[in-house]
Structures are given as C-alpha cells and as structure tokens.
Amino acid sequence: MPTLPLPLAAICGLACEPSLLPRVRMAIAMVAQEVFAEAPETPGYLVRWNLAKTVLSPTEAQAAQMMVGIVASPPMVAAAAATGTTDPSTMAAAISDDQILGAIRMGWNAVAGVSPSASAQGSQPET
C-alpha cells in the first residue's frame, strides 16, 4: 500500500477549505453539463444522467459532501502535496481548475453508482 504524500489532517484541511468550495460547485455543474451531452450508449448512462440532474445546481451541502471524495482522489492529493505545504488555503490556491474538473470526472461513475464492470464492458472494443 503506497504511503500518503500528505498527512490525513492536511487532506482534511483541504477538504474543509472554504476557498475551494465555490470552485468545486462550479466544476460539478460543468461536468453535469458534459454528462447531459453523452450518448445514451455510454456505460451507466442512466445513473450518470440522474446524478447530473440531481447536482446540476449543487447546493453548498452537496458540494461539501462531494469535496471529501474529490480532495482524496490521487491527482488532487498529488497536486496538494506538490505545493510543499500543509496550509489548506495555499494548497487550494495551487490546485488548477483542470485538476478539479479531472477529479470530478474521475469520480463521477462511483458517485453515480455505475458498477466497475459496466464501465469496463463499455470501454472494450466491439468484435
């Protein structure tokens, strides 16, 4: 099992950082719009679409709940660790919008409830 590049307390601090929350809310809404444009053949389409409908205008509470999973994603932890600090506001400021969007896209299926087997079946080429 790999060692965390940051202490859990630092990751928790980032997940609770008020300056990151509005950016996460907007990123959730942006990814929801992307999901609406997906083809119905996309693996897990119905649950992906339902999640998008539910969080299109995410409340602060919804975004705060999703923040934990977003911040705990490997790319976000790596981006936070690359700052060389454990100060939540400094880490939040150093994380790019693209990194936030990427973390949300990466976790969308899990939050929506798409099974890993459905995702794997959809990514295999047809014969």
Side-chain angles (χ1 to χ4, degrees), residues 19-102:
S19 67
L20 190 57
L21 189 58
R23 294 172 63 204
V24 166
R25 287 179 71 187
M26 185 54 60
I28 291 168
M30 299 297 292
V31 173
Q33 291 293 337
E34 293 172 6
V35 171
F36 286 138
E38 291 176 347
E41 297 79 27
T42 302
Y45 175 75
L46 288 177
V47 290
R48 291 175 55 75
W49 189 89
N50 279 327
L51 176 60
K53 181 181 67 167
T54 302
V55 298
L56 181 58
S57 299
T59 64
E60 189 167 322
Q62 286 171 317
Q65 287 174 335
M66 291 179 76
M67 182 92 93
V68 173
I70 292 165
V71 168
S73 71
M76 290 287 281
V77 171
T83 65
T85 182
T86 57
D87 176 63
S89 61
T90 302
M91 289 187 295
I95 294 171
S96 73
D97 292 346
D98 284 338
Q99 289 169 317
I100 295 170
L101 286 165

Side-chain angles (χ1 to χ4, degrees), residues 109 113-120:
N109 279 353
V114 177
S115 75
S117 62
S119 296

